[in-house]
Amino acid sequence: MPLRLTLPDGTVKEFSASVTGLELAASIGKGLAAAALAVKLDGELRDLLRPIEKDAKVEIVTRKSPEALELIRHDTAHILAEAVQELFPGTQVTIGPNVENGFYYDFARAEPFSTDDFPKIEAKMREIVARDAPLVREEWSRDEAIKFFESKGEKYKAELIRDLAADQTITTYAQGAWKDLCRGPHLPSTGKTGTSFKLLKLAGAYWRGDSNNAMLQRIYGTAWRDDKELQAHLTMLDEAEKRDHRKIGKELDLFHMQDEAAGSVFWHPKGWTLYRTLENYVRRRIEKAGYVEVHTPQLFDSSLFKASGHWDMYGDNMFKVAVKSGDAPEDVKWLGIKPMNCPGHVQIFKQGITSYRDLPLRMAEFGNCHRNEAHGAMHGLIRVRQMVQDDAHIFCTEDQIQSESLAFCEVLRSMYAELGFDVARVRLADRPEKRTGSDEVWDKAEGALHSALKAAGLDYDMNSGDGAFYGPKIEFYLKDAIGREWQCGTLQVDFNMPERLDASYVGEDGQKHRPVMLHRAILGSLHRFLGVLIEHYAGKFPLWLSPVQATICTITNDAEGYAQEVFDALTAAGIRAKLDIRSEKINAKIRDHSLQKVPLILVVGKKEAEAKTVALRRLGGEAQEILGLEDAVKTLSAEAMPPDLRG
RNA sequence: GCCGAUUUAGCUCAGGGGUAGAGCAACCGCCUUGUAAGCGGUAGGUCGUGUGUUCGAAUCACACAAUCGGCACCA
């Protein structure tokens, strides 16, 4: 039987018997054979030296192919593992997968590694690359493989093999004397990986991601095709560090945090201006979308959270307050500080009798919520113990779920666009193990979200088992200026909470019915969103969001009176302005306010005072525009208008 | 919560068993300045908290706290 292999350009190559990818490449050209790293067989990546035995569409993977990076990174992980075992005998290997932009490898070793070991390990890795040992694929029987790894003291590898499906082919890859359990594929030899890699971070990680298991030591690294790509990536990491919202928050005097209130934010005047500007924007947008705003208590008797299920489900992460309820020491009643707004909103819904004519009822609240997050979870504004969400609950009928979800998706898309983001990804998280409500109800809720997403025309993938305990959720991800994705928006269908808290409305038929609750947020936690926003803009906010929009700088004292006049005019027009009449050179003032990322610097000296003009310098630019004062006020206040208020 | 690292002036950071250093910022003067740092001076710290070792601790040990990088968690 001749073997027919179809190349990407459509040419068909015939062979009398099986060939390896390398032989195939050689039959096409000498250069290709030299550049070949692997082959793609009907879309499946395979080793270059593995015989091809059936007709297929084939593609030779070279260093230029997108797949090359995957191979390089995974091979580098193997090389890291070998280097570590050569340098630190007795260290056990576990797993070492690729991650975005790199890879990691988890090791079991009693002694902790130190980043001081990195140069030594990297040097050993380069040595292994230089040895250029061929990577040889070997197939094993299950028992032999277990025996082999156990004989080497590799308990984790043996455990992995035991858990593989019985019919799974067990393969190892050898590079010289060193061997690792691996599915492959790999590059033909260690020399092909190159040395454009760098070890980056050291971290603890649980075996198999389970906190009941042993803590392993994880080494993260990055690997690229060449040094130029590596350098570009390292530059990007530097850039991300420069944008760190904790750093910028300090530099721009937006907020601070301190030990006595771990996980909570002290908003300084500028940060709070930013916060309120954003909050007011959301407030206008949702008001336009037919929401009503409410405000509910901070403290509730535990009975409410017990009824809602939060006390049992998240009690450990709630702040609880014991209050004396009698004279005896055991006379104590428990209150809970709200970790979310939903039970409170149901209480408002339950006041009086709600008719089907009142639905959908869209109830919004910027409520302060407290969650006792684990110490290790906290991270600047991104993960805090006290936060406010742009939270709302839509009480509606089952029939209204789809149209409400659609309308929500539209508002979300438009708001993200106005804030400078695109929706990068949408995921549907379905039922988790720990949940309330029957499977029938979950079927219904998940089905409703699937059809809403289809109706909205959004592509989405599944995030299995990651729903909330009361219902499935849609997660909206946005992409920031340096390509990172953040999950902010969410829409959750909940058939359970109205049942648990006994909410009902009177239907057209005069009977009582349960409403459906849609929990939804667009920005999510405002704290977290502001963190993302600061990093996205690197502190250079669009004019309408800037805490200080304009600074008026005098050149000499003579201009002070006029500068005050300019300041008053801008302030009266609603522009957030500051006046800088310090006895400093104009260079120093320009530098200070530029570093403070003030978008507009208005310079006034003798000339401007006489002509009633301003010399405008925009952040990032060097040119100056000379504008008449009236004209400047008009132009700038129009520019400073929030996007939803522009004509 | 788990693993590792870190914590010195408002900020960024150096130092290190014999009692504390720089730059920037602040304050006070001088300078009256034309688009990214003008000059001089002054002041500022129980070296995260506690306990211990020591003749002596900011330095060494232990505990705790917070922070950082991950992991686990994220209603």
Side-chain angles (χ1 to χ4, degrees):
Chain A
M1 269 288 264
L3 184 69
R4 292 168 58 86
L5 299 177
T6 313
L7 300 176
D9 66 359
T11 339
V12 176
K13 284 249 167 197
E14 289 203 15
F15 297 90
S16 53
S18 80
V19 286
T20 66
L22 184 61
E23 286 160 352
L24 168 68
S27 77
I28 300 168
K30 224 170 158 183
L32 189 61
L37 296 179
V39 286
K40 245 176 137 176
L41 264 195
D42 289 333
E44 186 202 350
L45 207 54
R46 302 232 314 187
D47 297 322
L48 193 62
L49 296 175
R50 218 171 138 186
I52 301 167
E53 272 145 354
K54 59 175 201 301
D55 294 356
K57 278 193 193 145
V58 295
E59 198 182 322
I60 305 289
V61 173
T62 67
R63 224 170 168 75
K64 285 181 196 142
S65 317
E67 294 81 6
L69 267 181
E70 275 175 52
L71 292 163
I72 289 169
R73 286 173 186 158
H74 189 52
D75 281 33
T76 309
H78 275 236
I79 292 168
L80 165 64
E82 181 181 356
V84 165
Q85 288 202 315
E86 282 186 27
L87 290 167
F88 306 96
T91 303
Q92 289 187 66
V93 289
T94 67
I95 55 164
N98 281 356
V99 290
E100 204 181 352
N101 299 324
F103 61 90
Y104 65 78
Y105 210 110
D106 284 348
F107 299 98
R109 177 178 177 239
E111 279 282 293
F113 291 114
S114 148
T115 44
D116 296 342
D117 298 326
F118 282 4
K120 202 161 62 176
I121 299 172
E122 285 171 344
K124 180 61 83 178
M125 288 170 72
R126 278 192 282 275
E127 193 185 311
I128 295 166
V129 170
R131 282 180 214 157
D132 199 19
L135 278 145
V136 184
R137 182 176 188 271
E138 293 165 8
E139 293 192 7
W140 293 69
S141 81
R142 185 190 203 78
D143 291 347
E144 270 177 65
I146 294 174
K147 222 156 71 192
F148 171 75
F149 282 105
E150 276 183 342
S151 75
K152 302 208 132 206
E154 299 284 3
K155 288 187 300 193
Y156 291 93
K157 285 289 180 192
E159 185 182 327
L160 284 175
I161 299 167
R162 278 201 189 89
D163 290 349
L164 287 176
D167 58 347
Q168 170 124 21
T169 317
I170 292 161
T171 56
T172 63
Y173 280 78
Q175 50 198 49
W178 190 82
K179 219 171 257 186
D180 195 3
L181 172 73
C182 186
R183 193 186 306 123
H186 278 281
L187 298 171
S189 69
T190 58
K192 299 276 189 209
T193 53
T195 52
S196 301
F197 56 74
K198 187 168 167 59
L199 302 181
L200 297 175
K201 280 185 291 204
L202 200 54
Y206 296 109
W207 168 237
R208 300 196 146 174
D210 185 336
S211 58
N212 296 311
N213 289 343
M215 178 62 72
L216 305 171
Q217 297 189 63
R218 176 171 298 179
I219 296 178
Y220 282 93
T222 188
W224 298 84
R225 293 180 179 87
D226 54 47
D227 287 349
K228 211 173 130 195
E229 280 187 359
L230 173 65
Q231 201 44 54
H233 179 64
L234 296 178
T235 307
M236 196 282 286
L237 292 180
D238 283 349
E239 178 57 25
E241 211 177 303
K242 276 189 226 151
R243 286 168 180 261
D244 191 315
H245 71 280
R246 293 164 299 189
K247 189 168 167 277
I248 292 179
K250 208 179 273 177
E251 286 166 356
L252 300 193
D253 194 20
L254 301 176
F255 64 89
H256 89 271
M257 298 171 95
Q258 67 186 47
D259 293 6
E260 290 80 357
S264 299
V265 183
F266 292 77
W267 290 101
H268 294 15
K270 282 169 66 183
W272 192 240
T273 299
L274 177 65
Y275 182 105
R276 281 184 303 120
T277 305
L278 183 68
E279 189 186 63
N280 286 333
Y281 163 75
V282 177
R283 192 168 266 137
R284 288 193 302 270
R285 287 300 317 256
I286 60 175
E287 209 167 288
K288 235 176 262 174
Y291 288 74
V292 289
E293 188 178 329
V294 299
H295 201 75
T296 60
Q298 208 65 46
L299 269 174
F300 291 89
D301 191 87
S302 58
S303 58
L304 181 67
F305 293 121
K306 280 174 186 158
S308 71
H310 290 92
W311 199 266
D312 291 333
M313 207 68 69
Y314 291 101
D316 289 347
N317 289 315
M318 278 179 67
F319 289 106
K320 298 171 178 178
V321 184
V323 182
K324 252 176 98 84
S325 62
D327 294 333
E330 66 273 20
D331 290 341
V332 157
K333 75 170 180 176
W334 284 94
L335 305 179
I337 299 177
K338 70 174 171 187
M340 25 68 293
N341 301 305
C342 23
H345 290 184
V346 175
Q347 305 316 305
I348 294 183
F349 183 87
K350 284 169 70 177
Q351 282 300 109
I353 296 167
T354 306
S355 151
Y356 72 94
R357 294 172 196 275
D358 300 325
L359 304 184
L361 177 58
R362 309 182 191 91
M363 199 184 286
E365 176 170 4
F366 297 95
N368 241 300
C369 295
H370 288 76
R371 297 175 180 183
N372 192 8
E373 302 286 0
H375 284 94
M378 267 141 16
H379 178 96
L381 297 176
I382 303 292
R383 191 80 176 269
V384 288
R385 284 190 174 147
Q386 184 253 101
M387 51 94 187
V388 175
Q389 288 174 279
D390 64 329
D391 195 17
H393 297 93
I394 302 172
F395 297 87
C396 64
T397 66
E398 272 182 52
D399 292 344
Q400 291 166 336
I401 296 176
Q402 184 154 324
S403 57
E404 285 304 306
S405 302
L406 253 169
F408 172 75
C409 291
E410 275 320 302
V411 176
L412 177 138
R413 271 200 276 217
S414 140
M415 282 176 56
Y416 281 7
E418 286 183 340
L419 290 163
F421 296 103
D422 286 325
V423 177
R425 198 147 72 103
V426 181
R427 307 186 80 189
L428 176 49
D430 59 12
R431 67 194 77 185
E433 270 176 43
K434 218 174 156 189
R435 62 176 184 264
T436 62
S438 70
D439 284 353
E440 293 73 55
V441 165
W442 275 89
D443 288 340
K444 209 155 60 170
E446 287 166 7
L449 285 187
H450 277 290
S451 47
L453 280 172
K454 283 191 186 112
L458 287 165
D459 287 331
Y460 63 99
D461 56 22
M462 294 301 297
N463 187 4
S464 298
D466 224 20
F469 75 87
Y470 50 70
K473 59 183 180 192
I474 302 175
E475 302 167 335
F476 298 87
Y477 292 77
L478 50 80
K479 195 172 235 171
D480 74 10
I482 54 173
R484 296 171 302 181
E485 286 186 7
W486 302 89
Q487 195 250 305
C488 294
T490 181
L491 172 66
Q492 309 169 4
V493 179
D494 182 0
F495 287 91
N496 286 307
M497 196 72 67
E499 178 77 35
R500 296 185 72 114
L501 297 179
D502 192 28
S504 60
Y505 67 93
V506 178
E508 247 173 304
D509 56 3
Q511 304 294 307
K512 277 189 171 184
H513 297 273
R514 289 276 174 235
V516 179
M517 249 175 117
L518 305 180
H519 306 242
R520 41 64 70 211
I522 291 175
L523 309 187
S525 152
L526 294 186
H527 292 71
R528 183 166 180 278
F529 191 84
L530 282 164
V532 173
L533 201 68
I534 291 168
E535 303 205 359
H536 177 61
Y537 286 115
K540 288 179 234 160
F541 302 108
L543 186 58
W544 71 279
L545 278 170
S546 283
V548 178
Q549 295 172 315
T551 303
I552 298 110
C553 300
T554 49
I555 292 177
T556 61
N557 312 135
D558 303 343
E560 273 175 32
Y562 176 63
Q564 183 68 47
E565 204 178 303
V566 174
F567 171 82
D568 291 344
L570 288 173
T571 307
I575 290 175
R576 297 184 287 270
K578 291 226 163 176
L579 194 52
D580 183 354
I581 53 169
R582 289 176 304 162
S583 160
E584 289 287 352
K585 295 240 185 310
I586 192 65
N587 286 322
K589 294 189 184 183
I590 297 284
R591 179 182 149 84
D592 288 349
H593 304 300
S594 298
L595 288 174
Q596 283 294 306
K597 320 243 190 274
V598 175
L600 304 169
I601 296 176
L602 281 66
V603 177
V604 297
K606 213 190 245 169
K607 277 187 280 180
E608 288 76 14
E610 278 164 10
K612 299 281 177 201
T613 56
V614 296
L616 172 66
R617 178 188 169 119
R618 291 172 188 274
L619 183 61
E622 276 167 34
Q624 44 175 320
E625 302 165 49
I626 308 291
L627 297 171
L629 178 53
E630 260 179 59
D631 185 20
V633 170
K634 219 170 105 190
T635 309
L636 298 180
S637 56
E639 280 180 34
M641 199 68 91
D644 60 310
L645 297 180
R646 281 176 205 154

